[in-house]
Amino acid sequence: MTNTTLKLLAQQLQLSISTVSRALKDHPDISAKTKAKVNALAQSMDYEPNAYAIQLRMQSSKIFGVIVPAISNLFYDSFIAAVEEESRRNGYALMILQSSHNPENELNNLKIFRQNRVSGVFACLSTSAENLDVYHKMNEREIPVVFFDIVPKDNTFTKVRMADERCGVIAAENIIKRNAKKVLAIFGDPGLSISQNRKISFQNFMHNFSPKTHVNYINANSSNEAEEIFKKHYSKAVKFDTVFCMTDEILIGVMKAIQALQIKVPAEVGVISISNGFIPNLYHPVISYVETSGFQLGKLAFVQMMANMQTGKTVNELTVDATFIEGGSM
Amino acid sequence: MTNTTLKLLAQQLQLSISTVSRALKDHPDISAKTKAKVNALAQSMDYEPNAYAIQLRMQSSKIFGVIVPAISNLFYDSFIAAVEEESRRNGYALMILQSSHNPENELNNLKIFRQNRVSGVFACLSTSAENLDVYHKMNEREIPVVFFDIVPKDNTFTKVRMADERCGVIAAENIIKRNAKKVLAIFGDPGLSISQNRKISFQNFMHNFSPKTHVNYINANSSNEAEEIFKKHYSKAVKFDTVFCMTDEILIGVMKAIQALQIKVPAEVGVISISNGFIPNLYHPVISYVETSGFQLGKLAFVQMMANMQTGKTVNELTVDATFIEGGSM
DNA sequence: TAAATAATAACAAACGTTTGCGATAAATTT
DNA sequence: AAATTTATCGCAAACGTTTGTTATTATTTA
């Protein structure tokens, strides 16, 4: 069965296509009687306007593109959920593609976006250092790009991200408050600016406010690695009394080690992490964490997108602030 | 800056639009020399075909719609990841919308899909008993619908789902193997067919093979509820020695109770669950589980979609089999 | 009553493609 | 050399909308 079109409706009603079109949009030129007839038939033939024809005519698509490294991810999926929610409220649909941390995929995805004339794109870089030509071209074409999470250094772009520095500081504050003597701090991929920001701010704060607290700084790229690191360091003579986990991945590894070693939290070891809250709530006691919400970031990104579309080109870097969520692990 | 079009290329090259179009698609009617010129200019002006114009002309959209209750979900996000992966390999893009378990949203989403003339839709019902008219209409319009996870009873539709009965049986088998005397079995929302299938098969198997094993059947709708249930039942005189968790949610609650009560797993209580594996791997020992992979389900759904599109209408119900993954909790 | 105005609806072009068909010139065959 | 085939390319219609302009009435005004 073929789709209902304006032409079909027009034929049935012995009206012109334009009249039908205007009637459907409640145009003042059309009489109430005609409008009623048109609407009735449209309803019964369940007419749905062809979005493609509309876009072709209107030159605007009501679709946003979203690129994430992976959809199946605690952080990104909540980001997507937020953007989807807002988009739908504003009459937009989403086209979501994943880069799998591969710049080549990212390029292909952008091509698809351009072919579909998306009204804007939310992009998370697949790697930190990357060729940004495509994005510059998008800007030239007046397709707003809002970068999130992993963003380029280039300041000609609009970016939103978590307040990573604040995260580091807040974590450090709470560690100091606990009166920690020796802490194990595990950070993520040192190649990412996120890691850098969090680490440096953490380090500075620690150093200034509690210079005598001994901190071991280590990097881990997987939860397994974090688990091993924890076990290795915990076997030393002078045990650390606090562990700081920069990511959920790291926290997972650490918690496995803690359970395996049957360590009491927070009595023997205090645990603090940076997270959106899902993982910390899986344990008893609930792990205290500095909240970085993908959901909030999504909301912010959307606001920026809309601002960009209206004001032409507001270039900006906005951050969503971090807050400390008290669990029972400190 | 305006987008590059065939017309623009044609003007620059002093050729007709049709020639440019054919050159770009390597049509035999066009000379090698012309093709070269056209391709060169297209490249330098980085021409991208307008997907909307193409769809309008071709009456087919290369886009699939996906409806999930929530994107931010351990199961659905892996389903989406799989579908996205396959779609991209086959030149399709995805339009993902979430119903938030609300039939009204589901309807709106379907409307958006129709407006965008998607080539097919992957749908997860927001509630079990639901008006299927819209879906019937899609079938009439020859838009293939593949239901997944939460599927309608109606057999005129194509459905893919986990082998829920097998899940129940496998879980029961392993509980019997453990020689359990008293078990606490916590199931999810009794309104969903998933819960029913898993519960009935579990119950039957238990009853036939180990009629003397005492089983408490309880429903829980959230992890908090599961935690309370566990605590309440564990305080009784004759303690259960094994707990079965139908969902990740339930497992999470149970594990919080276990940690709070400092119960030894598997010595004091054996734990088994149904999961895609993420949550079970967060604990030490790793929880044994019957695997239900959203990723695999996604792959299967895609295969079905393609089959449907080619053969016209293959109506079928396919299931992805379940396997037992040994952790250390039994 | 004639003229002007308001109300209603139709015409037609445009958005960017694809593609059947026709046109032209060159190359080949008789 | 005339006739036919082959190689290239252009014309024009169609896909389903939106919208500026024009045409037709009916209504009001002078």
Side-chain angles (χ1 to χ4, degrees):
Chain A
M1 187 179 128
T2 174
N3 269 313
T4 307
T5 67
L6 288 185
K7 188 199 280 187
L8 218 65
L9 293 176
Q11 283 172 349
Q12 299 256 337
L13 293 165
Q14 292 285 64
L15 285 172
S16 77
I17 294 179
S18 54
T19 302
V20 175
S21 170
R22 288 191 168 101
L24 253 15
K25 333 188 85 60
D26 204 24
H27 192 284
D29 265 14
I30 309 298
S31 70
K33 216 184 299 175
T34 320
K35 281 178 186 168
K37 277 195 296 187
V38 171
N39 278 311
L41 186 64
Q43 182 88 21
S44 81
M45 295 184 65
D46 49 28
Y47 167 76
E48 286 293 348
N50 186 322
Y52 289 85
I54 294 177
Q55 128 75 14
L56 189 57
R57 172 62 219 239
M58 306 303 261
Q59 303 284 69
S60 98
S61 77
K62 290 290 188 180
I63 290 185
F64 287 131
V66 183
I67 299 187
V68 290
I71 295 173
S72 186
N73 174 292
L74 255 24
F75 184 79
Y76 295 124
D77 64 4
S78 61
F79 176 89
I80 292 173
V83 175
E84 196 271 347
E85 207 172 288
E86 286 301 317
S87 294
R88 188 142 39 80
R89 278 166 26 92
N90 290 68
Y92 284 82
L94 246 45
M95 188 170 278
I96 305 167
L97 265 20
Q98 43 190 352
S99 68
S100 311
H101 290 287
N102 181 344
E104 198 182 337
N105 285 339
E106 194 181 330
L107 271 182
N108 272 322
N109 293 344
L110 285 172
K111 182 179 277 189
I112 294 176
F113 287 161
R114 286 199 42 211
Q115 290 177 355
N116 282 279
R117 303 294 191 266
V118 295
S119 307
V121 354
F122 298 91
C124 175
L125 257 27
S126 54
T127 73
S128 255
E130 184 174 330
N131 191 323
L132 298 173
D133 288 357
V134 226
Y135 291 108
H136 278 119
K137 276 187 188 154
M138 296 217 129
N139 267 347
E140 286 170 18
R141 282 204 177 56
E142 286 168 22
I143 300 171
V145 179
V146 174
F147 285 99
F148 64 95
D149 199 41
I150 303 182
V151 304
K153 304 218 193 319
D154 191 329
N155 273 322
T156 61
F157 292 111
T158 302
K159 329 176 211 176
V160 298
R161 58 178 185 85
M162 304 305 307
D164 294 314
E165 302 80 4
R166 284 279 303 151
C167 288
V169 169
I170 293 175
E173 280 174 352
N174 282 278
I175 290 176
I176 291 169
K177 195 185 290 173
R178 181 181 153 82
N179 240 321
K181 297 283 172 273
K182 185 175 180 193
V183 357
L184 176 65
I186 313 183
F187 291 86
D189 181 354
L192 297 180
S193 61
I194 302 184
S195 308
Q196 292 301 337
N197 292 338
R198 293 181 177 181
K199 186 167 181 176
I200 291 173
S201 56
F202 180 88
Q203 216 158 1
N204 284 343
F205 198 90
M206 267 318 221
H207 189 263
N208 291 335
F209 280 76
S210 188
K212 282 171 294 185
T213 304
H214 182 257
V215 186
N216 256 332
Y217 295 92
I218 320 245
N219 289 312
N221 285 311
S222 70
S223 67
N224 283 338
E225 213 175 309
E227 184 178 354
E228 292 313 315
I229 288 171
F230 185 100
K231 286 180 175 169
K232 196 176 106 195
H233 283 77
Y234 199 70
S235 63
K236 292 188 177 164
V238 185
K239 300 208 182 328
F240 49 83
D241 52 29
T242 307
V243 57
F244 167 61
C245 309
M246 192 197 101
T247 68
D248 277 327
E249 287 251 293
I250 293 170
L251 175 63
I252 290 171
V254 164
M255 288 309 291
K256 281 179 89 167
I258 286 180
Q259 292 175 54
L261 267 34
Q262 306 203 27
I263 297 170
K264 300 250 185 306
V265 175
E268 296 174 357
V269 171
V271 181
I272 183 170
S273 72
I274 300 183
S275 168
N276 67 352
F278 180 78
I279 298 288
N281 268 290
L282 261 31
Y283 304 102
H284 180 96
V286 170
I287 307 303
S288 299
Y289 63 96
V290 183
E291 185 173 47
T292 72
S293 156
F295 199 80
Q296 278 186 48
L297 189 64
K299 296 281 186 176
L300 182 66
F302 190 85
V303 171
Q304 276 296 85
M305 176 64 79
M306 289 318 239
N308 254 18
M309 305 211 352
Q310 272 148 25
T311 69
K313 280 283 109 145
T314 324
V315 172
N316 238 324
E317 175 168 40
L318 282 186
T319 56
V320 357
D321 201 16
T323 52
F324 182 66
I325 308 286
E326 185 86 50
S329 66
M330 291 289 284
Chain B
M1 189 179 127
T2 176
N3 269 313
T4 307
T5 67
L6 288 185
K7 189 200 278 188
L8 219 66
L9 293 176
Q11 283 172 347
Q12 299 258 337
L13 293 165
Q14 293 284 65
L15 285 172
S16 77
I17 294 178
S18 50
T19 302
V20 174
S21 171
R22 288 189 169 100
L24 252 16
K25 335 188 83 57
D26 205 23
H27 191 285
D29 265 15
I30 310 299
S31 71
K33 216 183 298 173
T34 319
K35 281 178 187 170
K37 276 195 296 189
V38 171
N39 279 311
L41 186 63
Q43 181 87 22
S44 81
M45 294 183 67
D46 48 27
Y47 167 77
E48 286 293 348
N50 185 323
Y52 289 84
I54 294 177
Q55 128 75 13
L56 190 57
R57 170 64 218 238
M58 305 304 258
Q59 303 284 71
S60 98
S61 77
K62 289 292 191 178
I63 291 187
F64 287 130
V66 182
I67 299 187
V68 290
I71 295 173
S72 186
N73 174 292
L74 256 24
F75 184 78
Y76 295 124
D77 66 3
S78 62
F79 176 89
I80 293 172
V83 174
E84 195 269 348
E85 206 173 290
E86 285 302 316
S87 293
R88 188 143 37 81
R89 278 166 26 93
N90 290 68
Y92 283 83
L94 247 45
M95 188 169 279
I96 304 168
L97 265 21
Q98 43 190 352
S99 68
S100 311
H101 290 287
N102 182 344
E104 198 182 336
N105 285 339
E106 193 180 331
L107 272 182
N108 272 323
N109 293 344
L110 285 172
K111 182 180 277 190
I112 294 176
F113 286 162
R114 286 197 42 211
Q115 290 177 354
N116 282 280
R117 304 294 191 266
V118 296
S119 307
V121 356
F122 298 91
C124 174
L125 256 28
S126 55
T127 74
S128 253
E130 185 172 330
N131 191 322
L132 298 173
D133 288 357
V134 225
Y135 291 108
H136 279 119
K137 276 187 188 153
M138 293 219 130
N139 267 345
E140 285 169 19
R141 283 203 176 58
E142 287 168 20
I143 300 172
V145 179
V146 174
F147 285 100
F148 63 95
D149 199 40
I150 302 181
V151 304
K153 303 217 194 317
D154 191 328
N155 274 321
T156 62
F157 291 112
T158 303
K159 326 175 213 176
V160 298
R161 58 177 185 85
M162 302 307 305
D164 294 315
E165 302 81 3
R166 285 277 302 150
C167 287
V169 170
I170 293 176
E173 279 175 352
N174 281 279
I175 290 176
I176 292 170
K177 196 186 286 172
R178 181 182 153 82
N179 239 323
K181 297 283 174 270
K182 186 175 181 194
V183 356
L184 175 66
I186 313 182
F187 291 86
D189 181 355
L192 297 181
S193 61
I194 302 185
S195 307
Q196 293 299 337
N197 292 337
R198 291 181 177 180
K199 186 168 184 175
I200 291 174
S201 57
F202 180 86
Q203 218 159 0
N204 284 342
F205 198 89
M206 268 318 224
H207 189 263
N208 290 336
F209 280 77
S210 188
K212 283 171 296 186
T213 305
H214 182 258
V215 185
N216 257 330
Y217 294 93
I218 321 244
N219 289 311
N221 285 312
S222 69
S223 65
N224 282 338
E225 215 176 309
E227 184 178 353
E228 291 314 315
I229 288 172
F230 185 101
K231 286 179 174 169
K232 195 176 104 194
H233 282 76
Y234 198 72
S235 62
K236 292 187 176 164
V238 185
K239 300 207 180 332
F240 50 82
D241 52 27
T242 308
V243 56
F244 166 61
C245 309
M246 193 197 101
T247 67
D248 277 327
E249 286 251 294
I250 294 169
L251 175 63
I252 290 170
V254 164
M255 287 308 291
K256 279 178 92 167
I258 286 180
Q259 291 175 52
L261 268 34
Q262 305 204 27
I263 297 169
K264 300 248 186 306
V265 175
E268 296 173 356
V269 170
V271 181
I272 183 170
S273 73
I274 299 182
S275 168
N276 69 351
F278 179 78
I279 299 287
N281 268 289
L282 259 32
Y283 304 101
H284 179 95
V286 170
I287 308 303
S288 300
Y289 63 97
V290 182
E291 184 173 47
T292 73
S293 155
F295 198 81
Q296 277 186 49
L297 189 64
K299 295 282 186 177
L300 182 66
F302 191 86
V303 171
Q304 277 296 86
M305 176 62 81
M306 289 317 240
N308 255 17
M309 305 213 350
Q310 272 148 24
T311 70
K313 279 283 106 137
T314 323
V315 172
N316 238 324
E317 176 169 40
L318 283 187
T319 57
V320 357
D321 202 16
T323 52
F324 182 67
I325 307 287
E326 184 86 51
S329 67
M330 291 288 284

